[in-house]
Coordinates of all heavy atoms in Angstrom, one line a residue:
F45 N -9.5 17.0 8.2 CA -8.8 18.3 8.3 C -8.9 18.9 9.7 O -10.0 19.4 10.1 CB -9.3 19.3 7.2 CG -8.6 19.1 5.8 CD1 -8.7 17.9 5.2 CD2 -7.9 20.1 5.3 CE1 -8.1 17.7 4.0 CE2 -7.3 19.9 4.0 CZ -7.4 18.7 3.4
P48 N -7.7 24.7 9.1 CA -8.5 25.3 8.1 C -7.9 25.1 6.7 O -6.7 24.9 6.6 CB -8.5 26.8 8.5 CG -8.2 26.9 9.9 CD -7.3 25.7 10.1
S49 N -8.7 25.1 5.8 CA -8.3 24.9 4.3 C -9.4 25.3 3.4 O -10.6 25.1 3.6 CB -7.9 23.4 4.1 OG -7.8 23.2 2.7
T50 N -9.1 26.0 2.3 CA -10.1 26.1 1.2 C -9.6 25.2 0.1 O -10.4 24.3 -0.3 CB -10.2 27.7 0.8 OG1 -10.7 28.3 1.9 CG2 -11.1 27.9 -0.4
R51 N -8.5 25.5 -0.5 CA -8.0 24.9 -1.8 C -7.8 23.3 -1.5 O -8.3 22.6 -2.4 CB -6.7 25.4 -2.3 CG -6.9 26.7 -3.1 CD -5.7 27.5 -2.9 NE -5.7 28.0 -1.5 CZ -6.4 29.1 -1.1 NH1 -7.0 29.8 -2.0 NH2 -6.5 29.5 0.2
T52 N -7.0 23.0 -0.6 CA -6.6 21.6 -0.5 C -7.8 20.7 -0.3 O -8.0 19.7 -1.0 CB -5.6 21.4 0.6 OG1 -4.5 22.4 0.4 CG2 -4.9 20.0 0.5
R53 N -8.6 21.0 0.8 CA -9.8 20.2 1.0 C -10.8 20.1 -0.1 O -11.1 19.1 -0.6 CB -10.4 20.5 2.3 CG -11.6 19.6 2.8 CD -12.1 20.0 4.1 NE -12.8 21.1 4.1 CZ -14.1 21.4 3.8 NH1 -14.8 20.3 3.4 NH2 -14.6 22.6 3.8
R101 N -5.0 16.7 7.0 CA -4.2 17.9 7.4 C -4.2 18.0 8.9 O -5.3 17.8 9.6 CB -4.8 19.2 6.8 CG -4.2 20.5 7.3 CD -4.6 21.6 6.5 NE -4.0 21.7 5.2 CZ -4.1 22.7 4.3 NH1 -4.7 23.8 4.7 NH2 -3.5 22.6 3.1
A122 N -1.9 16.2 3.7 CA -2.4 17.4 3.0 C -1.9 18.7 3.8 O -2.5 19.7 3.7 CB -4.0 17.3 3.1
H129 N 4.0 19.8 2.6 CA 2.7 19.9 2.0 C 3.0 19.4 0.5 O 2.9 20.0 -0.4 CB 2.3 21.4 1.9 CG 0.8 21.5 1.5 ND1 0.0 20.6 1.0 CD2 0.0 22.6 1.6 CE1 -1.2 21.1 0.7 NE2 -1.2 22.4 1.1
Q132 N 0.6 20.2 -2.5 CA 0.7 21.5 -3.1 C 1.8 21.5 -4.1 O 1.8 22.1 -5.1 CB 1.0 22.5 -2.0 CG 1.3 24.0 -2.5 CD 0.1 24.6 -3.2 OE1 -1.1 24.5 -2.7 NE2 0.2 25.1 -4.4
R162 N 5.4 25.4 4.7 CA 5.5 24.0 4.4 C 5.6 23.7 2.9 O 6.2 22.8 2.4 CB 4.5 23.2 5.1 CG 3.0 23.6 4.8 CD 2.0 23.0 5.8 NE 0.8 23.4 5.5 CZ -0.3 23.3 6.4 NH1 -0.1 22.7 7.6 NH2 -1.5 23.7 6.2
T163 N 4.9 24.6 2.1 CA 4.9 24.4 0.7 C 6.2 24.6 0.1 O 6.7 24.1 -0.9 CB 3.9 25.4 0.0 OG1 4.3 26.7 0.2 CG2 2.5 25.3 0.5
P263 N 1.2 29.6 -3.3 CA 0.3 28.5 -2.9 C -1.1 29.0 -2.5 O -2.1 28.2 -2.5 CB 0.9 27.8 -1.7 CG 1.9 28.8 -1.1 CD 2.3 29.7 -2.3
L264 N -1.2 30.2 -2.1 CA -2.4 30.9 -1.6 C -2.8 30.1 -0.3 O -2.5 29.0 -0.1 CB -3.6 30.8 -2.6 CG -3.2 31.5 -3.9 CD1 -4.5 31.4 -4.8 CD2 -2.8 32.9 -3.8
P265 N -3.6 30.7 0.6 CA -4.1 32.0 0.5 C -3.2 33.2 0.6 O -2.1 33.1 1.3 CB -5.1 32.1 1.7 CG -4.5 31.3 2.7 CD -3.9 30.1 1.9
R293 N -4.3 16.2 -8.0 CA -4.9 15.4 -7.0 C -5.8 14.2 -7.5 O -5.9 13.0 -7.0 CB -5.7 16.2 -5.9 CG -4.8 17.1 -5.2 CD -5.4 18.0 -4.2 NE -4.4 18.7 -3.4 CZ -4.1 19.9 -3.5 NH1 -4.7 20.7 -4.3 NH2 -3.1 20.5 -2.8
Ligands
LIG401 N1 -2.5 26.1 -0.6 C1 -3.2 25.7 0.4 O1 -2.8 24.7 1.2 O2 -4.3 26.3 0.6 P1 -5.5 25.9 1.7 O3 -4.8 26.2 3.0 O4 -6.7 26.9 1.5 O5 -5.8 24.5 1.6

Side-chain angles (χ1 to χ4, degrees):
F45 276 58
S49 168
T50 295
R51 274 147 295 276
T52 311
R53 188 173 64 83
R101 171 171 289 188
H129 193 345
Q132 178 61 48
R162 58 194 175 196
T163 65
L264 304 180
R293 288 178 177 111

